[in-house]
Amino acid sequence: MGAASAERQRVELALEGMTCASCATRIDRKLNAVQGVTASVNFATERAAVEYDPALVGIDELLGAVGAVGYRAEVGAAREEAHGAPRALARRLVVSATLAIPLAAISMVPAL
């Protein structure tokens, strides 16, 4: 049992196209149906933590299993670099601060 667990590898998949918890469950079932795979899908973060046996299955098969149920998956770090996550977060910060400051001022000063 110790030798089998030493051979297992872990990868995090970034998922696209999920719109509800049912979507996450569908992906989870499909990944866990693949021989040698143990997966856990998180709908909120749109990620899947997958442990697999590289002797039985490869990353291409994992991505194909997700694609077979109608969703798209990429290896976690590749998606963040490709989509410019820091730039998107900075834009969200600016927009939210721009809207929050006047709201806070109005709620703090009753005369406004």
Side-chain angles (χ1 to χ4, degrees), residues 13 17 31 39-40 67 69 74 78 89 91 93-94 111:
L13 301 177
L31 285 171
S40 175
V69 289
E74 297 176 0
L89 290 175
R91 187 174 346 137
L93 175 65
V94 169

Side-chain angles (χ1 to χ4, degrees), residues 14-93:
L15 304 169
E16 292 181 12
M18 290 192 304
T19 57
C20 61
S22 177
C23 298
T25 303
R26 189 175 300 125
I27 295 170
D28 191 285
R29 284 186 191 153
K30 185 67 172 182
L31 285 171
N32 284 311
V34 176
Q35 184 179 5
V37 173
T38 304
S40 175
V41 177
N42 188 327
F43 171 65
T45 61
E46 294 185 340
R47 296 196 175 273
V50 182
E51 286 187 18
Y52 66 99
D53 185 353
L56 298 174
V57 65
I59 296 208
D60 291 336
E61 287 87 2
L62 297 174
L63 299 177
V66 174
V69 289
Y71 303 96
R72 192 179 140 159
E74 297 176 0
V75 177
R79 178 180 176 206
E80 290 177 1
E81 292 172 5
H83 293 283
R87 189 177 312 148
L89 290 175
R91 187 174 346 137
R92 284 184 181 181
L93 175 65

